[in-house]
């Protein structure tokens, strides 16, 4: 059984020494646990070193091909109550749209008209 330590009555130096001791013990135990988990992982992977494989995979993806740039997606829907809130139609629906749809409105009510969207996109 552990003995009770009166932390409140300890001096700052004694508390700091206790902190350093606990930190050393934790770092040793964490390192030991990590080694054990790595051994188990290697065993489960059929003896392959999973950490090395993961590092190689990450470096291959990052160096060989630069990521392709995607064009900016223009908004297709606008919140009439807050015109600065828009949605491109991709990904999760924004809260304002979900709330409006639950109240019975249709998604087409929020569609940005052809006249409004074409303002900044004129081609020469």
């Amino acid at each position: 059984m552990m003995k009770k330590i009166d932390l409140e009555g300890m001096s700052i130096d004694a508390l700091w020494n206790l902190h350093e001791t606990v930190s050393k013990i934790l770092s040793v135990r964490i390192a030991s646990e990590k080694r054990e988990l790595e051994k188990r992982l290697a065993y489960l992977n059929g003896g392959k070193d999973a950490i090395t494989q993961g590092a190689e995979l990450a470096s291959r993806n990052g160096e060989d091909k630069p990521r392709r740039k995607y064009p900016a997606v223009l908004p297709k829907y606008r919140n009439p109550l807050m015109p600065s809130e828009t949605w491109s139609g991709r990904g999760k629906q924004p809260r304002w749209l979900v709330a409006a749809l639950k109240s019975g409105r249709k998604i087409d009510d929020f569609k940005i008209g052809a006249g409004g969207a074409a303002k900044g996109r004129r081609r020469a």
Side-chain angles (χ1 to χ4, degrees):
M1 188 173 251
M2 284 181 42
K3 60 181 177 180
K4 253 188 174 172
I5 300 174
D6 181 26
L7 297 176
E8 294 291 329
M10 291 176 73
S11 69
I12 292 178
D13 290 335
L15 285 171
W16 188 254
N17 288 334
L18 179 63
H19 166 72
E20 287 177 340
T21 306
V22 170
S23 294
K24 286 177 188 174
I25 293 170
L26 279 174
S27 66
V28 168
R29 287 191 183 176
I30 288 171
S32 172
E33 184 71 21
K34 183 179 175 188
R35 279 192 299 276
E36 289 299 318
L37 289 173
E38 286 172 349
K39 285 180 190 175
R40 287 175 57 191
L41 186 60
Y43 175 76
L44 291 172
N45 285 331
K48 298 176 186 173
D49 190 11
I51 296 171
T52 307
Q53 285 180 342
E56 287 174 2
L57 186 64
S59 67
R60 261 190 268 141
N61 289 344
E63 293 175 8
D64 290 348
K65 256 186 179 177
R67 186 169 176 207
R68 152 180 164 210
K69 292 184 180 177
Y70 291 95
V73 180
L74 297 173
K76 294 179 184 160
Y77 304 95
R78 182 179 312 276
N79 182 357
L81 302 175
M82 273 290 234
S84 63
E85 292 179 337
T86 58
W87 182 51
S88 65
R90 293 186 180 181
K92 191 174 177 182
Q93 290 180 339
R95 290 180 185 154
W96 59 264
L97 184 59
V98 171
L101 294 174
K102 281 184 180 177
S103 70
R105 297 186 65 182
K106 296 186 179 174
I107 197 163
D108 291 335
D109 298 342
F110 303 98
K111 205 160 191 102
I112 297 174
K119 273 184 189 175
R121 296 192 304 156
R122 291 192 182 128
R123 294 189 179 177

